[in-house]
Amino acid sequence: MKYVNIPYCRSAYALTATFVFSSLISCSVHDDHKDESRDEHSAEEIVLSPHSAELFGVEISRVGDSETQNVIPAWGVLEALPGTGRQILSSRSSGIVRLSPAIVVGALLRPGESIASVSGKGMAGGDANAIAAEELDAAKKELARIEPLRKDGIVSEREYQAALANVRKLSASYSGHATGSGVVAPQKATVTKILVADGQWVDAGAPIVETATDSRLLLKVDFPLSMRGYVDRINDANFITPDNSDQVRSVGGLGGSFLSDMKGSSAAVGAYMPVYFSVPNDGSLVAGSYADVWVKLSNDSIGKTCLIPCGAVVETEGEHFAYVKVGDHGYEKRRLKLGVTDGKNVEVRSGLMADDSVVINGAMILKMAENSGKIPEGHSHNH
C-alpha cells in the first residue's frame, strides 16, 4: 500500500493577532529537563498561558489507539449526471440590466425567483416593452370592441380572426412587464456564473446568468489499475476541492454512495481506471471541480494505531510536527513519522506516546509563536 503525505492544513488567522505574541507567548530552552527516552523530541518549549490559549482557540486532545481503515489516495473530478447539467438564462428584451441583490455565485434559486430586470427606459428609441405593452393593450381593446359586433353579424369572421391573431402575436412578443423585462428562475437551481455586470446594456437574447440544476453529481475517481482487486471493497470516500480547501467531505456523510455498476477497468486509461460515487449536491459543489480523494475500503483495517486530526500537523521544510502540552503552560514540538491518511485524520507511526495531550486546534498559532523566536531573559519554567 502506498502512503502519501497529508495535505498541509492551513488555518487562516487574523494578521492583527500576530503582534500580540511578544507579550503572550515565549520560547525557552530546557536542556536540564530533556527526557533521554524521547530522542526525536525538541528541547525547545513554547510557553502559553491558559488565558492566551483560550484567546487563540488552542485545543488539546489526549492520544489514544484507534482502528485505522485502509485508504487509497487518488484524484477525482465532479461531473454532471447524464441528462442534467447547466442552463443559461437570457434577457427577453434589450436594455439596462439590474441584477437582484441576492444574485451571487452559489446562490440557491427558487422557482419563479427574480434574477434580474432589463429596461430600455430613457434610452434612445424608447423602451421596447413599454411600446409592446401599449400595442397589446390597444389590440385587446380592439378585440373587445368587435367581439359583440361579430355576434350581430356586423363584423365578419375574417376580421374577428385577424384581431384575435394580432392579440396572440403581441402577447407572445411581450415580456409581461410594462417597463422592461424580467429574468426569473424556471426551477430550483444554483447560480454558477454571472455573465453580465449590473448596469450593463444587453440585447434581447443576451445571457444573464448560468445556473446548475444538478441536485446530484458524479465523483469520478482515477483509481490505480494495479489495485483493481480492491474495487469490490470500496465503500466510501473522503474528498476535498480547491474552492473549499479547509473542508474535507465524506461521500457517505453527504448521503452519497459508491456506484459499483459503472464501467470500470474496461475504460482504463494508462495506469488508472475510473470508479464512480454518487454525491448529493447541496448547492456548494460545482460540476467540473477537481478533487483530492481518499478511497476507503471496507473489511480492511490496518489495526489499532495512533490517529490525530490533520489540522494538528504542521509542516516545516518537508518534515511534519505536532505540539504536545507539557505542564500547565508549556508546549513541546514533536517530529512525527506519518502513515496513511483519509484526509481528516492521519496515522502517526512515531513521535507521540500514549496519553500525550496533542494540540488539535491552534497548531499554527504555536508555529507562529515558535518562529517569532522571542526568548525573554531570566525566564524559567518548572514542570
Side-chain angles (χ1 to χ4, degrees):
M1 186 69 63
K2 180 181 178 182
Y3 299 106
V4 295
N5 289 338
I6 64 167
Y8 184 28
C9 302
R10 295 176 175 84
S11 300
Y13 292 94
L15 293 178
T16 53
T18 58
F19 78 94
V20 301
F21 285 147
S22 59
S23 60
L24 296 176
I25 307 172
S26 63
C27 299
S28 58
V29 178
H30 296 272
D31 290 330
D32 55 331
H33 290 270
K34 187 174 182 181
D35 185 344
E36 296 299 332
S37 66
R38 298 181 176 182
D39 56 357
E40 290 188 349
H41 301 171
S42 171
E44 192 173 81
E45 185 177 307
I46 301 167
V47 177
L48 183 65
S49 71
H51 171 74
S52 298
E54 182 179 0
L55 177 66
F56 288 112
V58 175
E59 298 178 15
I60 64 170
S61 180
R62 197 170 295 278
V63 173
D65 291 336
S66 301
E67 193 75 23
T68 305
Q69 191 172 11
N70 227 336
V71 175
I72 298 176
W75 292 89
V77 62
L78 290 167
E79 298 181 345
L81 281 168
T84 66
R86 303 191 181 283
Q87 183 177 22
I88 300 293
L89 303 182
S90 302
S91 172
R92 299 182 60 186
S93 65
S94 299
I96 300 296
V97 63
R98 293 297 179 189
L99 296 170
S100 299
I103 300 305
V104 294
V105 173
L108 297 177
L109 301 175
R110 300 181 302 274
E113 183 174 354
S114 175
I115 294 173
S117 62
V118 180
S119 174
K121 187 177 181 180
M123 306 299 292
D127 190 330
N129 265 295
I131 297 172
E134 292 176 2
E135 291 177 344
L136 178 59
D137 185 58
K140 286 180 176 179
K141 288 179 179 178
E142 176 62 14
L143 181 63
R145 184 187 72 81
I146 67 175
E147 190 167 14
L149 298 178
R150 170 201 176 208
K151 294 178 181 178
D152 295 336
I154 300 174
V155 172
S156 68
E157 183 67 22
R158 181 177 180 180
E159 289 176 302
Y160 172 77
Q161 290 298 330
L164 181 60
N166 191 40
V167 169
R168 289 172 176 170
K169 181 184 73 172
L170 291 173
S171 296
S173 62
Y174 175 51
S175 70
H177 297 261
T179 56
S181 63
V183 181
V184 298
Q187 57 189 320
K188 183 178 179 181
T190 303
V191 176
T192 55
K193 289 182 183 178
I194 299 175
L195 304 173
V196 296
D198 190 62
Q200 178 180 332
W201 172 271
V202 296
D203 295 321
I208 303 298
V209 297
E210 180 182 282
T211 64
T213 57
D214 308 320
S215 60
R216 186 171 289 269
L217 297 171
L218 283 179
L219 175 60
K220 175 187 175 183
V221 179
D222 289 334
F223 195 76
L225 192 58
S226 60
M227 296 183 177
R228 60 184 177 273
Y230 291 91
V231 170
D232 290 341
R233 285 195 267 170
I234 295 175
N235 71 338
D236 200 359
N238 292 341
F239 67 97
I240 189 170
T241 55
D243 58 335
N244 205 339
S245 58
D246 288 333
Q247 184 179 6
V248 179
R249 308 169 196 245
S250 164
V251 170
L254 292 172
S257 61
F258 174 59
L259 300 178
S260 58
D261 58 343
M262 299 293 285
K263 58 185 179 181
S265 58
S266 61
V269 176
Y272 298 93
M273 57 179 282
V275 297
Y276 295 85
F277 295 84
S278 173
V279 184
N281 187 6
D282 60 1
S284 63
L285 300 176
V286 179
S289 297
Y290 289 92
D292 290 326
V293 184
W294 295 271
V295 179
K296 296 182 178 181
L297 306 179
S298 62
N299 303 320
D300 196 1
S301 170
I302 58 178
K304 294 280 188 180
T305 59
C306 171
L307 290 179
I308 61 173
C310 292
V313 180
V314 296
E315 184 178 359
T316 302
E317 297 180 352
E319 293 189 301
H320 297 96
F321 299 87
Y323 295 94
V324 176
K325 187 173 184 182
V326 288
D328 294 332
H329 300 76
Y331 296 84
E332 184 178 79
K333 182 178 179 181
R334 302 277 186 84
R335 182 181 290 107
L336 307 178
K337 183 178 179 182
L338 303 179
V340 68
T341 177
D342 64 0
K344 293 183 177 181
N345 299 299
V346 60
E347 175 197 6
V348 178
R349 293 184 171 180
S350 67
L352 296 177
M353 299 192 303
D355 294 330
D356 277 341
S357 296
V358 178
V359 175
I360 59 171
N361 188 40
M364 287 301 297
I365 285 289
L366 294 174
K367 182 179 180 180
M368 293 165 70
E370 177 191 9
N371 291 340
S372 70
K374 177 172 171 48
I375 305 178
E377 293 183 6
H379 172 77
S380 63
H381 175 71
N382 295 320
H383 295 283

